[in-house]
């Protein structure tokens, strides 16, 4: 009796296919995925947003991946918005996709899949290694272990720039740092320092930038000493609360963000530095 | 085509109607509601208990209210129990309403509505500005942003004085400071200082009394810079966890309190200072 | 000791205030509320949509109401859309409220409150007496006891006319008749007959039109033989599943409807008879 | 290495201890438990109420029980209330336990344990064989398989006699026959016939009285052909929805019943035949 | 500004890749997927089990699919077990994958993904067209609309052949036909006829085999008359209950099945006809 | 009228029966239960594992117990594994119970009951007095008040030694210290010091060993000043979140642990000191 399964896509295939957004390497079952833009610091845009979901789907479907490290390039997790090839903040909307597709495809579907594919389909331990400030940190927060550098700051800038915080980042903050701290970060736009993130249980460790990847790999190798099934089923157990939370509340959050964005275009001048927490927040005088 | 909606009650009407319990002012959509007794520090009683729910319903139904500030008068959020016009601790029960109505109307309905009207019907950001110690702080805990003065202490005195903690205050503590700290506060009656409240994520900021209202108004004005729909839908997103929690557990908590109070009249001499955390709690010798 | 509560609005006041939409009478604690348009069959529109929520709030807040009967006028629960004073399908949008207010105020807030005020604030047994076909039947489905006439048909026409079914009606169908039957009614737009409604547990009884109100009043009087607190707490117990369901899922449903309506204006010619189930649905050839 | 566990109570011990309320026999792992009063039809009372929980606990803790059959004696599941040795409807309250203990111990604890011990601690398939009409059928409804005789009627008489339906019976009806049918049975007190019970999914089969126990034993033997662990883990899977439902809602239901009973003594003359569905319900004239 | 997304796999690619298990065609956004074995009736095995998940993932990721029809080949949805290339019942275990991989990869991962990929990733309306008897019907039950032929029978054979029913089929039966009917089908192994399936709300319609695909396509075309976003968001609303249910309970069900299968190899001779409901079940003598 | 309840087991009986594992004393309703092995520090094994559940059942069923203190003997809560009379790590498996019984009875049933009996059946306040390091601390974490000595460390060693953390300890850590800290303790095996436990809300107080029992008794006596029903119903309210959490997730956790242990025998040499947190964990170099 031969057992002949249909093969899923190989590392060799998807690592090339996704290379415009992610550099990947794999050793002994440990896959390191590094987000980048032109091999420099990541600039976030519509394409990268979708590519995150596509990457999680490919990495998750390949059963030869056993532990994942997710990190960024240079001094920022995300340095800024990619004005070159993204219509997100829309100056050049004429060349963007048609309105309805834009909203449904890029806000609803991509906004849903970027977190769902990670939570439901990457059934292996994930180590987030946050190499510096930036927004859209929800993917590294959802990692099982999250390291960050001492200069990292985390921001929840939606409300600051006139949007509803529906992409999952605020939902994660509610769960990890509690409703009141999450509200202070979100309603008042205040950045969370690495030290606060550690004290409040938002990250696991603060590690100097020069040691960050070494630490992530050391942890990954420690994980690899356990049997594959123990690793995977432990991850399943650890993820169950995220699955509960996102199933129960995420679709409501995201559709509120989309509803509000359709009713009111962003009305406060989006300050570029809001995404790294250097401006835009409430300050007591 | 004319669209002619039935009008809801106006600020001019309810601000007068509720003035025995609350002083209100409104500027540019920001409504400040200050609880008081004879324009001094608030004394809690049956009437005030019900008036809180009535106030939340009126404020919530008026669509011209866009941000709410909830605060108290003088040096206490609540100074004490109002012996003059409340039957709550019942010395003068002969003049109180008939027993069944008393229990059902004042414990069950009013006890339910004081929190439900705030959570479900005040669909705008609420800033709690706690001006000093006092009990029945569940309403300001449910605010999206909660400021308190450095001398504020929070207490959960039900068990201390022989009641089951079913009015929502303990349920909120479980959510915001965790089960073990909530149990220490509740089972052992120990007051929570302003500094602990800040460290444990129960309040957003500790602010000197002289700056308290200025800070609340500054935050309210910061909120008003966002579009109305963004503000309201963000609040809806932020409240969803409270709605889940209260729907799932609150009726059970409250009916346990009422059951126990009916089976056993309060058996420990209610110490007046228990409500501001100055006596009655367990102390390790 | 005097106990002096702030008074809530009286029957004499709100029954007049709401009379353009509802005729009310009250005997011995039983309040009958009859929806109408110019004293004839109800035509649904934006104003009536909001008035339902306003009516439930007023009826629920008045503690002298002990059992509620909700019924319609003439041969239809709702006969059609009110083209005279409603902007809902928008031919005359120039005189309608500004776009953002229209969506947020009439879709989000009113769409939320019409069911929430009934479920959370009418804490007494409600008897729905459905006098004939019509849409927007979610309020009578949420009644504790629902009677209908033999010619009544129930429809879930949103998808049929190009909308997402997010107003609660489909959510109720899922709960009461199961996912597959609810999907057939919703995705294929097929009307549910009175007989099917009875067999599937959607209504309690089918009663000839001439006996409908007599039956409703007989049941109401039967209820009045139980003590007030037993009636109210029983209702609370009976409602708990609705509270769970609506807290968990309703905001997500409604915001999906609004999102879709903003992305795509209704694209299928809204057939007037779709609302009474006489046209528009899928038919196997 | 010897493994020496502490022994749990044996069949020989608990079958004697519980014999005033239950007759038991056991063959090849199948335990039949028959409720009785003086070896005749069961009369329900405080002692039997508690004994149900004690019986489930003993049967559940004995790992030699592998399938359980639960049935009654004679022509009634429960014939009536035991006036001889029960204080439940209290004519002779002077000899009953002190008030607080009565309420807490017999309503709250016993009322909780009668269902919890069955759901959580009898981790084996249970076959309910309902031999005729009677109330307090919640235990046989919770059985995995429920047979009843053609003359069986099921009633939910709490509201009929002036109580809140909080003992789990109504909660089970909501789950098994849907909210509207459950409301008709509960609010209007209408008995459910065996045929309706079958059509609505409340029982598995209707079986003539003379075949009832044979059928139950045949099913039990069919179950015994599966391995012990498969039987038990299947039961665990099948029970999970009951555990969810009872954890989420039962304490709220029960405490509402107790609250109401304390506020208002039963005010409608308890009709004895209400418990077998022969009187007391609403009838359309 | 150019927007350049990474492309997902095309219909031309995956329809070929998956053709050993599924024949696909697509017209105007409607994709028909027909399961087969050598172009005849489907024989279920390990490879097909995994291929279902792979197919749902590919179909779901391709945004050009707008409505999906899922059907089988010939007279059976699934005719039997594929003994040629499946190790499921293991006679030839020597050539099967290593034990740990077998269990983890084929039971846990594949068993999880077959339903999760459908529920979470096929975000378009799905019409199940069940062409005859067979087991593993959970995928067509999860379809939004389910048609079946008059000779179709549905079975839940796990317990019958000595397994715990953890693959989702029983969980779906609990939701759609209620706990008691689901228990009868599962514990007693009794087949559900097409007529019962219709009456109990398990299927939407019973359609003669010769009309089955025509009906499915007519419905699909009816769906295509609604805007893409309305279709998709309606599906999202309709699926929310399945997402809640599967997130909350499925991992527990499946791990119970695996646990039991590891503790006890299947001990009852697996009757081949059990999978089409022609033998193996409990019969009252 | 006499009320004659069947008696539950007396303190005199179960305190003797359980004395090989627990020393008990009782004064004025306060029961102290001290786990021991030969009157010295506790060695954990299969028998003790089961005995915990048996003890909670007996203590919980005796209504004369009103407050419970749970503590250990000597310098360790649990010193090590009992190699003498436990088959848990199996060197001497020949004398252990048959494989299927071993797994089902000792892992599934005992693993379920040790926490369920405490949460559901010990309906009185429980004070955990942790006298030193050790594993299997889930019972004292579930206590309403938890004291520990300054040298106590808490460990979650499952993953460290190659098991899935499914026994409830990790689930409790997720709830009490948050997902990220719980992951650090579990995935990296790092011990939690007494001081961290206090700061993170895992214990209520850190108390010198010589004062530990005095403090526990002082708190117990403080509790006894409240009426019995207030104490018990307050405990019910305080436990509700644990009941929700364990009902929703525990069976999934435990069955994942068992599945993994059956697929892969423990593959990392179990380091004895892992159970007291002195070795085995990840250390950054």
């Amino acid at each position: 009796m031969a057992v002949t399964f249909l093969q899923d896509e190989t590392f060799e295939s998807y690592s090339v296919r996704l290379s415009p957004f992610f550099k990947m390497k794999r050793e002994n079952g440990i896959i390191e995925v590094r987000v980048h833009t032109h091999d420099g610091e990541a600039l976030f845009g519509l394409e990268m947003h979708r590519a995150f979901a596509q990457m999680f789907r490919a990495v998750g479907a390949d059963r030869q991946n056993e532990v994942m490290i997710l990190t960024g390039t240079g001094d920022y997790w995300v340095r800024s918005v990619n004005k070159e090839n993204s219509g997100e903040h829309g100056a050049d909307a004429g060349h963007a996709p048609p309105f309805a597709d834009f909203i449904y495809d890029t806000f609803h579907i991509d906004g849903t899949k970027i977190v769902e594919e990670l939570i439901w389909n990457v059934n292996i331990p994930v180590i987030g290694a946050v190499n510096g400030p930036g927004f859209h940190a929800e993917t590294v927060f959802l990692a099982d272990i999250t390291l960050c550098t001492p200069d990292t700051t985390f921001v929840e800038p939606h409300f600051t720039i006139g949007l509803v915080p529906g992409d999952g980042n605020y939902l994660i903050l509610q769960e990890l740092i509690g409703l009141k701290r999450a509200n202070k970060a979100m309603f008042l736009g205040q950045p969370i320092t690495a030290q606060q993130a550690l004290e409040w249980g938002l990250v696991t460790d603060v590690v100097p930038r020069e040691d960050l990847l070494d630490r992530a790999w050391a942890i990954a190798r420690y994980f690899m000493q356990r049997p594959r099934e123990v690793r995977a089923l432990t991850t399943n157990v650890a993820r169950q609360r995220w699955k509960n939370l996102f199933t129960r509340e995420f679709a409501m959050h995201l559709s509120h963000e989309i509803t509000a964005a359709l009713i009111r275009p962003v009305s406060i001048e989006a300050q570029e530095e809001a995404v790294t927490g250097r401006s835009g927040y409430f300050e007591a005088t």
Side-chain angles (χ1 to χ4, degrees), chain A residues 30-34 56 66-72 77 118 122 124-130 139-148 204-205 207 212-224 231 235 239:
Chain A
I30 301 169
I31 183 169
E32 180 191 293
V33 177
R34 178 166 57 78
F56 289 132
E66 307 213 32
V67 176
M68 179 183 182
I69 294 169
L70 178 62
T71 192
W77 164 247
L118 172 52
V122 185
I124 54 174
V126 177
I127 300 160
V130 189
T139 52
V140 282
F141 288 150
L142 288 169
D144 303 290
I145 295 289
T146 303
L147 314 176
C148 75
T204 321
D205 278 293
V207 180
L212 185 73
L213 277 181
D214 286 351
R215 179 71 66 85
W217 276 88
I219 291 172
R221 285 189 207 101
Y222 179 84
F223 286 173
M224 288 301 291
R231 254 187 280 111
T235 305
R239 290 280 167 78

Coordinates of all heavy atoms in Angstrom, one line a residue, chain A residues 30-34 56 66-72 77 118 122 124-130 139-148 204-205 207 212-224 231 235 239:
Chain A
I30 N 14.0 25.2 11.7 CA 13.8 26.6 12.2 C 13.8 27.5 11.0 O 14.8 27.6 10.3 CB 14.9 27.0 13.2 CG1 14.9 26.0 14.4 CG2 14.7 28.4 13.7 CD1 16.1 26.2 15.3
I31 N 12.7 28.2 10.8 CA 12.6 29.1 9.7 C 12.6 30.5 10.3 O 11.8 30.9 11.2 CB 11.3 28.9 8.8 CG1 11.3 29.8 7.7 CG2 10.0 29.0 9.6 CD1 10.2 29.5 6.6
E32 N 13.5 31.3 9.7 CA 13.6 32.8 10.1 C 13.0 33.6 9.0 O 13.4 33.4 7.8 CB 15.0 33.2 10.3 CG 15.1 34.7 10.7 CD 16.6 35.1 10.7 OE1 17.4 34.7 11.6 OE2 16.9 36.0 9.8
V33 N 12.0 34.4 9.3 CA 11.4 35.3 8.3 C 11.6 36.7 8.7 O 11.2 37.1 9.8 CB 9.8 35.0 8.3 CG1 9.1 35.9 7.3 CG2 9.6 33.5 7.9
R34 N 12.2 37.4 7.8 CA 12.6 38.8 8.1 C 11.9 39.8 7.1 O 12.1 39.7 5.9 CB 14.1 39.0 8.0 CG 14.6 40.4 8.2 CD 16.1 40.5 8.5 NE 16.9 39.9 7.4 CZ 17.1 40.5 6.2 NH1 16.7 41.8 6.0 NH2 17.8 40.0 5.3
F56 N 2.2 33.8 6.0 CA 1.8 32.9 7.1 C 1.2 31.6 6.5 O 1.4 30.6 7.0 CB 0.8 33.6 8.0 CG 1.5 34.7 8.9 CD1 0.9 35.9 9.0 CD2 2.6 34.4 9.6 CE1 1.4 36.9 9.8 CE2 3.2 35.4 10.4 CZ 2.6 36.7 10.5
E66 N 9.2 23.9 11.7 CA 8.9 23.4 13.0 C 8.9 24.5 14.1 O 8.3 24.4 15.1 CB 9.9 22.3 13.4 CG 9.9 21.2 12.3 CD 10.1 19.8 12.9 OE1 9.7 19.6 14.0 OE2 10.7 19.0 12.2
V67 N 9.7 25.5 13.9 CA 9.7 26.7 14.8 C 9.9 27.9 13.8 O 10.7 27.8 12.9 CB 10.9 26.7 15.8 CG1 10.9 28.0 16.6 CG2 10.7 25.5 16.7
M68 N 9.2 29.0 14.1 CA 9.3 30.2 13.3 C 9.9 31.4 14.1 O 9.4 31.6 15.2 CB 8.0 30.6 12.7 CG 8.0 31.8 11.8 SD 6.3 32.2 11.3 CE 6.5 33.6 10.3
I69 N 10.8 32.1 13.5 CA 11.3 33.4 14.0 C 10.8 34.5 13.1 O 11.0 34.4 11.9 CB 12.8 33.4 14.1 CG1 13.3 32.4 15.2 CG2 13.3 34.8 14.5 CD1 14.8 32.1 15.2
L70 N 10.2 35.5 13.6 CA 9.7 36.6 12.8 C 10.3 37.9 13.3 O 10.3 38.2 14.4 CB 8.1 36.7 13.0 CG 7.4 37.8 12.2 CD1 7.6 37.7 10.7 CD2 5.9 37.9 12.6
T71 N 11.0 38.5 12.3 CA 11.8 39.7 12.7 C 11.8 40.7 11.6 O 11.2 40.5 10.5 CB 13.2 39.3 13.1 OG1 13.9 40.4 13.8 CG2 14.1 38.9 11.9
G72 N 12.4 41.9 11.9 CA 12.4 43.0 10.9 C 13.9 43.3 10.5 O 14.8 42.6 10.8
W77 N 11.0 48.0 13.3 CA 10.1 46.9 12.9 C 9.4 47.4 11.7 O 9.4 46.6 10.7 CB 9.1 46.7 14.1 CG 7.9 45.8 13.7 CD1 6.6 46.3 13.7 CD2 7.9 44.5 13.2 NE1 5.8 45.2 13.2 CE2 6.6 44.1 12.9 CE3 8.9 43.5 13.0 CZ2 6.2 42.9 12.5 CZ3 8.5 42.3 12.5 CH2 7.2 42.0 12.3
L118 N -2.0 33.6 10.9 CA -1.0 33.4 11.9 C -1.6 32.5 13.0 O -1.0 31.5 13.4 CB -0.5 34.7 12.4 CG 0.4 34.7 13.7 CD1 1.6 33.7 13.4 CD2 1.0 36.0 14.0
V122 N -0.4 28.8 11.5 CA 1.0 28.6 11.8 C 1.1 27.8 13.1 O 1.3 28.4 14.2 CB 1.8 29.9 11.9 CG1 3.3 29.7 12.1 CG2 1.6 30.7 10.6
I124 N 2.9 26.1 14.9 CA 4.3 25.8 15.5 C 4.6 27.0 16.3 O 4.1 28.1 16.2 CB 5.3 25.6 14.3 CG1 5.3 26.8 13.4 CG2 5.1 24.3 13.6 CD1 6.4 26.8 12.4
P125 N 5.5 26.8 17.3 CA 5.9 28.0 18.1 C 6.5 29.1 17.2 O 7.3 28.8 16.3 CB 7.0 27.4 19.0 CG 6.8 25.9 19.0 CD 6.2 25.6 17.7
V126 N 6.1 30.3 17.6 CA 6.6 31.5 16.9 C 7.3 32.4 17.8 O 6.8 32.7 18.9 CB 5.4 32.2 16.2 CG1 5.9 33.5 15.5 CG2 4.7 31.3 15.2
I127 N 8.5 32.8 17.5 CA 9.2 33.8 18.3 C 9.3 35.1 17.5 O 9.8 35.2 16.4 CB 10.7 33.3 18.5 CG1 10.6 31.9 19.2 CG2 11.5 34.3 19.3 CD1 11.9 31.1 19.1
G128 N 8.7 36.1 18.1 CA 8.8 37.4 17.6 C 10.0 38.2 18.1 O 10.2 38.2 19.3
A129 N 10.8 38.7 17.2 CA 12.0 39.4 17.6 C 11.9 40.8 17.0 O 12.3 41.1 15.9 CB 13.3 38.7 17.1
V130 N 11.4 41.7 17.9 CA 11.1 43.0 17.4 C 12.4 43.9 17.5 O 12.9 44.2 18.6 CB 10.0 43.7 18.3 CG1 9.5 45.0 17.7 CG2 8.8 42.7 18.4
T139 N 1.2 41.2 14.7 CA 1.7 39.8 14.4 C 2.8 39.4 15.4 O 2.8 38.3 15.8 CB 2.3 39.8 13.0 OG1 3.2 40.9 12.8 CG2 1.2 39.9 12.0
V140 N 3.7 40.3 15.8 CA 4.7 39.9 16.8 C 4.1 39.8 18.2 O 4.6 39.0 19.0 CB 5.9 40.8 16.8 CG1 6.8 40.5 15.6 CG2 5.5 42.3 16.7
F141 N 3.1 40.5 18.5 CA 2.4 40.3 19.8 C 1.8 38.9 19.8 O 1.7 38.3 20.9 CB 1.3 41.3 20.0 CG 1.8 42.7 20.3 CD1 1.0 43.8 19.9 CD2 3.0 43.0 21.0 CE1 1.5 45.1 20.2 CE2 3.4 44.2 21.3 CZ 2.7 45.3 20.9
L142 N 1.3 38.4 18.7 CA 0.6 37.1 18.7 C 1.6 36.0 18.7 O 1.3 34.8 18.9 CB -0.3 37.0 17.5 CG -1.5 37.8 17.5 CD1 -2.2 37.8 16.2 CD2 -2.5 37.3 18.6
A143 N 2.9 36.3 18.5 CA 3.9 35.2 18.7 C 3.9 34.7 20.1 O 3.4 35.3 21.0 CB 5.3 35.8 18.4
D144 N 4.3 33.5 20.2 CA 4.3 32.8 21.6 C 5.3 33.4 22.5 O 5.0 33.6 23.7 CB 4.5 31.3 21.4 CG 3.4 30.7 20.5 OD1 2.3 30.7 20.8 OD2 3.8 30.4 19.3
I145 N 6.4 33.8 22.0 CA 7.5 34.5 22.7 C 7.8 35.8 22.0 O 8.0 35.7 20.7 CB 8.8 33.6 22.8 CG1 8.5 32.3 23.6 CG2 10.0 34.3 23.3 CD1 8.3 32.5 25.1
T146 N 7.9 36.9 22.7 CA 8.2 38.1 22.0 C 9.3 38.8 22.7 O 9.3 39.2 23.8 CB 6.9 39.1 22.0 OG1 5.8 38.4 21.4 CG2 7.2 40.4 21.2
L147 N 10.4 39.0 21.9 CA 11.6 39.8 22.4 C 11.5 41.1 21.7 O 11.0 41.3 20.6 CB 12.9 39.1 22.0 CG 12.9 37.5 22.2 CD1 14.2 37.0 21.6 CD2 12.8 37.2 23.6
C148 N 12.1 42.2 22.4 CA 12.2 43.4 21.7 C 13.5 44.1 22.2 O 14.0 43.8 23.2 CB 11.0 44.3 21.9 SG 10.8 45.1 23.5
T204 N 8.1 39.3 26.3 CA 8.7 38.3 27.2 C 10.1 38.8 27.7 O 10.4 38.6 28.9 CB 9.0 37.0 26.4 OG1 7.8 36.8 25.6 CG2 9.1 35.8 27.4
D205 N 10.8 39.5 26.9 CA 12.2 39.9 27.3 C 12.6 41.1 26.5 O 12.2 41.3 25.3 CB 13.2 38.8 27.1 CG 13.3 37.8 28.2 OD1 13.7 38.1 29.3 OD2 12.9 36.6 27.9
V207 N 16.0 42.7 24.9 CA 17.3 42.2 24.6 C 18.0 43.2 23.7 O 17.4 43.7 22.8 CB 17.1 40.8 23.8 CG1 18.5 40.2 23.4 CG2 16.3 39.8 24.6
L212 N 19.8 40.2 19.7 CA 18.3 39.8 19.5 C 18.2 38.5 18.7 O 17.5 37.6 19.2 CB 17.6 41.0 18.8 CG 16.1 40.8 18.6 CD1 15.4 41.0 19.9 CD2 15.6 41.8 17.6
L213 N 18.8 38.4 17.6 CA 18.6 37.2 16.8 C 19.3 36.0 17.4 O 18.8 34.9 17.3 CB 19.1 37.4 15.3 CG 18.0 38.1 14.5 CD1 18.5 38.3 13.1 CD2 16.7 37.3 14.4
D214 N 20.4 36.2 18.0 CA 21.1 35.1 18.7 C 20.2 34.5 19.8 O 20.0 33.3 19.9 CB 22.4 35.5 19.4 CG 23.5 35.7 18.3 OD1 23.3 35.4 17.2 OD2 24.5 36.3 18.7
R215 N 19.5 35.4 20.5 CA 18.6 34.9 21.6 C 17.4 34.2 20.9 O 17.0 33.1 21.4 CB 18.1 36.1 22.4 CG 17.1 35.7 23.5 CD 17.8 35.0 24.7 NE 18.7 35.9 25.3 CZ 18.3 36.8 26.3 NH1 17.1 36.8 26.8 NH2 19.2 37.5 26.8
A216 N 16.9 34.7 19.9 CA 15.7 34.1 19.2 C 16.1 32.7 18.7 O 15.4 31.7 18.9 CB 15.2 34.9 18.1
W217 N 17.3 32.6 18.1 CA 17.7 31.3 17.6 C 18.0 30.3 18.8 O 17.8 29.1 18.7 CB 19.0 31.4 16.7 CG 18.6 31.8 15.3 CD1 18.4 33.0 14.8 CD2 18.3 30.8 14.3 NE1 18.0 32.9 13.5 CE2 17.9 31.6 13.1 CE3 18.3 29.4 14.2 CZ2 17.6 30.9 11.9 CZ3 18.0 28.8 13.0 CH2 17.6 29.6 11.9
A218 N 18.6 30.8 19.9 CA 18.9 29.9 21.0 C 17.6 29.4 21.6 O 17.5 28.2 21.9 CB 19.6 30.7 22.1
I219 N 16.5 30.2 21.7 CA 15.2 29.7 22.1 C 14.7 28.7 21.1 O 14.2 27.7 21.5 CB 14.3 30.9 22.3 CG1 14.7 31.8 23.5 CG2 12.8 30.5 22.5 CD1 14.0 33.1 23.7
A220 N 14.8 29.0 19.8 CA 14.3 28.1 18.8 C 14.9 26.7 18.9 O 14.3 25.7 18.8 CB 14.5 28.7 17.4
R221 N 16.2 26.7 19.2 CA 16.9 25.5 19.3 C 16.5 24.7 20.6 O 16.4 23.5 20.6 CB 18.5 25.7 19.3 CG 19.0 26.0 17.9 CD 20.5 26.0 17.9 NE 20.9 26.9 16.8 CZ 21.3 28.2 17.0 NH1 21.5 28.7 18.2 NH2 21.6 29.0 15.9
Y222 N 16.3 25.5 21.6 CA 15.8 24.9 22.9 C 14.4 24.2 22.6 O 14.2 23.1 23.0 CB 15.6 26.0 23.9 CG 15.1 25.5 25.3 CD1 15.9 25.0 26.2 CD2 13.7 25.7 25.6 CE1 15.4 24.6 27.5 CE2 13.2 25.4 26.8 CZ 14.1 24.8 27.8 OH 13.6 24.4 29.0
F223 N 13.6 24.9 21.8 CA 12.3 24.3 21.5 C 12.5 23.0 20.7 O 11.7 22.0 20.9 CB 11.5 25.3 20.6 CG 10.9 26.4 21.4 CD1 10.3 27.4 20.7 CD2 11.0 26.5 22.7 CE1 9.7 28.5 21.4 CE2 10.4 27.6 23.4 CZ 9.8 28.6 22.7
M224 N 13.5 23.0 19.8 CA 13.7 21.8 18.9 C 14.1 20.6 19.7 O 14.0 19.5 19.1 CB 14.7 22.2 17.8 CG 14.2 23.1 16.7 SD 12.7 22.5 15.9 CE 13.4 21.1 14.9
R231 N 5.7 19.9 20.7 CA 5.9 21.3 20.4 C 4.6 21.8 19.7 O 4.0 22.9 20.1 CB 7.0 21.5 19.4 CG 8.2 22.1 19.9 CD 9.2 22.4 18.9 NE 10.0 21.2 18.5 CZ 9.9 20.6 17.3 NH1 9.0 21.0 16.4 NH2 10.6 19.5 17.1
T235 N 1.7 24.3 21.4 CA 1.4 25.6 20.7 C -0.1 25.7 20.6 O -0.7 26.7 20.8 CB 2.0 25.6 19.3 OG1 3.4 25.5 19.5 CG2 1.8 27.0 18.7
R239 N -2.4 28.7 22.1 CA -3.1 29.5 21.2 C -4.6 29.6 21.4 O -5.3 30.4 20.9 CB -3.0 29.0 19.7 CG -1.7 29.2 19.1 CD -1.4 30.6 18.5 NE 0.0 30.6 18.2 CZ 0.5 30.0 17.1 NH1 -0.3 29.5 16.2 NH2 1.8 30.0 17.0

